Amino acid sequence: MSVAENSKFIALVADNGTEFTSEQKAIFTIHPDIGFVKGKDSYLSFDMLNTCPNSRVNLFPATSGASSIIQRMDIFSLANGQLLESLTNYNLWCGIENQYMEEDNAHSQLKNGTDPECRAYTCAQTAGTGVDATNSKINVLTERGYAADPRGTLDLGSELFSQISSGSGVVSGANQELDVDTEMCAKKFAARKFCIPLKSGIFSHFGVSEKLTPILLFGGLRIEITFAEDKKVMTRAYVVDGSSATAMVKADSIANGIAVDDIATAAANGGRGAKTLKTIVITGTNITDPADLGIVKGASMILQGTGGSDQTEQAFTVAHAHREFTQTDGTPTARIVLVASANLAASTGCKICFANDSTQSTYKLKNVELKVLQVIPPQGIMKGMIKESQFDYISWDCFLDNLPLSSLSHQSDITSVASAAKSIFSHYISVSSENEKYGQNYYNGQPPHRTFLQSVQYFINNKLYPLKAYNPSAKNDKVVNMNELVKAFKSIGKDVKRLGECRAGNICDYTNTYLHARELARGEQFVYNLKDAEPQIRLTFSNSRDQAVDGQTCGNVRMIHFVFSVKTIMINKDNLQLIL
């Protein structure tokens, strides 16, 4: 069926406004007169604005991108208020799909704001001969966003979810005074538009066959989207150090701040006249844009030197910033000039950092719209759809469990009552680093060697699956774990296109967010009844999680189990009924 001739996009504004902040709820009403919509082509569009009180630069989480703004989505029948679908931990599942379902991430990067490589980890191997345990090579995993594997080395400005507005660019020539227009390259943040698909079963995101969503038969839909808390969305960006364009620093303290030229010295500020003490010059190799430094107009910062007449911390606000060529000899080498809001004391050996690092960065959504593709099917197909008494779709339910750091064996019970289950996926989160500012473990998860996981086995309906437990660690049954994962995705109509990064040492370990999974029913027509099966996952661990790995201690772990199942909406002229 071709939908191009009989379709059009309809933009819906939330009933309760167009602008939202964290943890608020947007409510959309899709009236029954819209008829039928093509769910896979419907999407949410919005403008994202960084409202951090410190004017601190931020990125979306590497894997979930703009989808990180949605913590939960609930869909109700407009006719009788029946809850039809409830999607919790929505942003987490989007991050998982972005890694495994995208062979080329360029599309997701442009529209969804994900990291260019869209993966949780980078793997490097330590030196070693591999002859014995003492000299063997060890896989070291680093989260995307950490200093050993920085994001934004090439173009930080393009990855920020709230763009740094820029203009024509350069102040050139010798002995430029600061009265010129110096706001060309680093003004305040500007909103940036993103479009994210709706990963909902009712909108046919899962399953092999695509269906039109019968809004008419549901009596209309009420969609409630709960936006995520700031710490699930705002990921701090490493920025370029002033001494080198390749070194990346947090710039959250003077100790790991951005190196700058000395304040009020002839070498750094020659020819600037009376405004010398307001000027901070950064001449790092190939640093050509303030965006590389993550500095914008209005940024609250601290300067401190190790020599000169003043070595105390000096707080200042960036009045404006620009780039310029060397002023005295005409050498075409770009450098960055920051102008403080007030004079700074002369000092040497200076660094700058962002102030108030403990302050939580915040965001705001503007122009939020739900755009649905209305489709008018041929009359014959429409009559057949109206006569149908049920609508089947695949969706998930989340079940939580806690894994204490000292447990060496654990049985995780899944209290699902799904009568038509398809698969189970399990995700591990370090509680202590769940909302880490520079890379939330909520999305990245914990690979097996950090939790010391050494065996996985499912116990369902008094049977063991598989009959022999497997060890998912990279040097044991990694292939078995990946094979089980591929089958589980296939059962919900998703073909895995990428199991991880294979360049260099990355092939040696998990670089996507680690999951272990179990396919419960193969094929579109088959399901598994979990209602009385009392499913359980049996796990063993080689060590307690108070032992440091990759320089980090995992500690207590939160487990999230995604249970996918076929749900049925029974439709009659008087009522709707949901069958789990």
Side-chain angles (χ1 to χ4, degrees):
M1 175 183 67
S2 173
V3 299
E5 299 177 358
N6 300 299
S7 64
K8 65 177 180 179
F9 275 102
I10 298 176
L12 304 174
V13 178
D15 300 345
N16 54 336
T18 60
E19 297 187 2
F20 301 91
T21 57
S22 66
E23 300 183 76
Q24 292 186 331
K25 184 182 293 184
I27 302 173
F28 295 92
T29 299
I30 307 180
H31 292 284
D33 57 5
I34 287 182
F36 299 85
V37 301
K38 188 179 181 185
K40 282 191 175 181
D41 287 345
S42 301
Y43 60 93
L44 187 74
S45 72
F46 55 89
D47 295 334
M48 185 75 173
L49 181 63
N50 185 350
T51 56
C52 176
N54 285 359
S55 295
R56 182 73 192 267
V57 294
N58 287 270
L59 309 168
F60 281 125
T63 59
S64 61
S67 296
S68 63
I69 68 164
I70 302 178
Q71 185 66 37
R72 179 182 183 128
M73 183 187 298
D74 296 300
I75 303 177
F76 301 84
S77 166
L78 193 60
N80 63 1
Q82 170 73 54
L83 177 62
L84 303 178
E85 187 173 20
S86 182
L87 302 171
T88 56
N89 298 107
Y90 179 93
N91 44 12
L92 171 57
W93 183 257
C94 290
I96 291 170
E97 274 202 19
N98 288 340
Q99 294 172 80
Y100 287 95
M101 302 300 138
E102 297 281 352
E103 187 174 5
D104 180 2
N105 194 53
H107 181 269
S108 181
Q109 181 188 0
L110 291 173
K111 286 194 172 184
N112 200 18
T114 61
D115 181 72
E117 297 189 17
C118 194
R119 52 187 165 87
Y121 292 97
T122 289
C123 178
Q125 286 191 316
T126 60
T129 62
V131 174
D132 52 43
T134 303
N135 295 311
S136 62
K137 294 184 178 181
I138 300 174
N139 295 345
V140 178
L141 264 63
T142 305
E143 283 87 343
R144 291 285 291 160
Y146 278 63
D149 186 32
R151 298 174 60 188
T153 305
L154 299 179
D155 190 358
L156 176 64
S158 68
E159 292 182 45
L160 298 174
F161 61 58
S162 191
Q163 289 174 318
I164 296 176
S165 59
S166 60
S168 57
V170 178
V171 177
S172 60
N175 302 325
Q176 287 288 343
E177 286 291 336
L178 297 176
D179 295 324
V180 298
D181 179 12
T182 55
E183 297 186 13
M184 292 184 292
C185 291
K187 300 180 183 179
K188 290 184 177 180
F189 295 117
R192 184 177 181 183
K193 184 172 289 294
F194 293 92
C195 302
I196 55 177
L198 300 179
K199 299 183 187 294
S200 157
I202 283 181
F203 285 93
S204 297
H205 180 71
F206 303 102
V208 177
S209 58
E210 183 177 357
K211 303 176 182 179
L212 294 179
T213 302
I215 306 296
L216 174 64
L217 302 186
F218 296 153
L221 292 178
R222 172 188 171 97
I223 301 177
E224 296 185 357
I225 296 176
T226 303
F227 296 113
E229 54 189 339
D230 292 312
K231 56 189 176 183
K232 290 289 193 298
V233 178
M234 311 291 280
T235 303
R236 292 279 174 84
Y238 275 78
V239 297
V240 179
D241 186 9
S243 61
S244 170
T246 58
M248 304 292 284
V249 293
K250 288 184 177 181
D252 57 356
S253 67
I254 290 296
N256 56 18
I258 302 169
V260 302
D261 291 87
D262 299 337
I263 303 302
T265 63
N269 300 290
R272 294 185 181 277
K275 299 186 179 181
T276 294
L277 294 179
K278 288 187 177 182
T279 306
I280 301 172
V281 179
I282 304 171
T283 57
T285 307
N286 297 326
I287 300 178
T288 59
D289 197 305
D292 295 331
L293 300 164
I295 297 174
V296 298
K297 176 183 176 182
S300 300
M301 307 199 75
I302 294 172
L303 177 140
Q304 186 175 9
T306 58
S309 61
D310 196 316
Q311 299 177 28
T312 59
E313 288 189 358
Q314 303 179 65
F316 70 96
T317 300
V318 176
H320 42 251
H322 69 276
R323 57 183 173 173
E324 65 181 20
F325 291 127
T326 302
Q327 295 192 13
T328 54
D329 58 8
T331 304
T333 300
R335 63 185 186 181
I336 306 301
V337 174
L338 308 180
V339 182
S341 55
N343 283 347
L344 299 165
S347 186
T348 59
C350 296
K351 286 188 176 184
I352 58 174
C353 68
F354 294 97
N356 304 318
D357 183 65
S358 60
T359 302
Q360 175 62 55
S361 297
T362 57
Y363 71 92
K364 184 176 185 178
L365 304 177
K366 305 172 71 174
N367 302 318
V368 179
E369 292 183 331
L370 176 63
K371 298 189 178 181
V372 297
L373 181 60
Q374 180 190 39
V375 176
I376 303 175
Q379 188 173 5
I381 295 178
M382 184 180 294
K383 287 182 178 179
M385 295 174 69
I386 293 176
K387 287 181 180 178
E388 291 181 0
S389 60
Q390 69 181 53
F391 179 82
D392 297 329
Y393 63 95
I394 297 175
S395 187
W396 77 75
D397 295 291
C398 282
F399 299 87
L400 306 181
D401 195 9
N402 292 315
L403 174 64
L405 64 85
S406 59
S407 295
L408 298 181
S409 64
H410 186 75
Q411 296 179 352
S412 185
D413 296 313
I414 300 175
T415 57
S416 173
V417 294
S419 60
K422 299 294 289 184
S423 56
I424 302 172
F425 299 81
S426 298
H427 175 67
Y428 296 77
I429 301 170
S430 170
V431 175
S432 61
S433 58
E434 178 174 354
N435 298 309
E436 158 63 39
K437 292 187 181 74
Y438 291 84
Q440 299 93 328
N441 200 248
Y442 173 75
Y443 300 105
N444 293 337
Q446 290 293 308
H449 76 286
R450 288 191 180 174
T451 60
F452 299 100
L453 179 61
Q454 68 175 8
S455 75
V456 176
Q457 194 171 40
Y458 294 79
F459 185 69
I460 306 173
N461 203 16
N462 293 319
K463 294 181 181 179
L464 293 171
Y465 302 97
L467 189 59
K468 180 183 177 182
Y470 63 89
N471 184 341
S473 64
K475 295 185 179 180
N476 286 277
D477 300 324
K478 177 186 173 186
V479 173
V480 174
N481 191 99
M482 287 185 166
N483 185 53
E484 292 293 321
L485 190 58
V486 170
K487 291 190 296 182
F489 274 118
K490 186 73 173 179
S491 70
I492 59 174
K494 293 296 177 183
D495 293 321
V496 173
K497 297 180 180 178
R498 188 180 63 170
L499 285 167
E501 175 60 59
C502 61
R503 289 175 293 181
N506 286 315
I507 198 171
C508 301
D509 214 317
Y510 298 95
T511 54
N512 285 357
T513 294
Y514 172 72
L515 303 167
H516 61 72
R518 181 69 191 177
E519 174 195 45
L520 299 176
R522 184 173 302 177
E524 192 173 10
Q525 305 301 319
F526 298 95
V527 295
Y528 192 97
N529 189 351
L530 284 180
K531 189 172 184 179
D532 299 312
E534 298 180 347
Q536 184 182 86
I537 306 176
R538 297 181 174 182
L539 309 166
T540 64
F541 303 87
S542 61
N543 210 334
S544 59
R545 281 155 296 285
D546 55 358
Q547 306 296 313
V549 178
D550 298 340
Q552 303 177 41
T553 302
C554 181
N556 295 316
V557 171
R558 179 177 294 113
M559 302 172 65
I560 299 181
H561 305 296
F562 292 88
V563 177
F564 281 82
S565 62
V566 178
K567 300 182 180 181
T568 300
I569 301 174
M570 302 301 297
I571 304 169
N572 59 50
K573 63 179 181 179
D574 299 318
N575 200 9
L576 293 177
Q577 181 182 4
L578 179 64
I579 300 176
L580 300 177

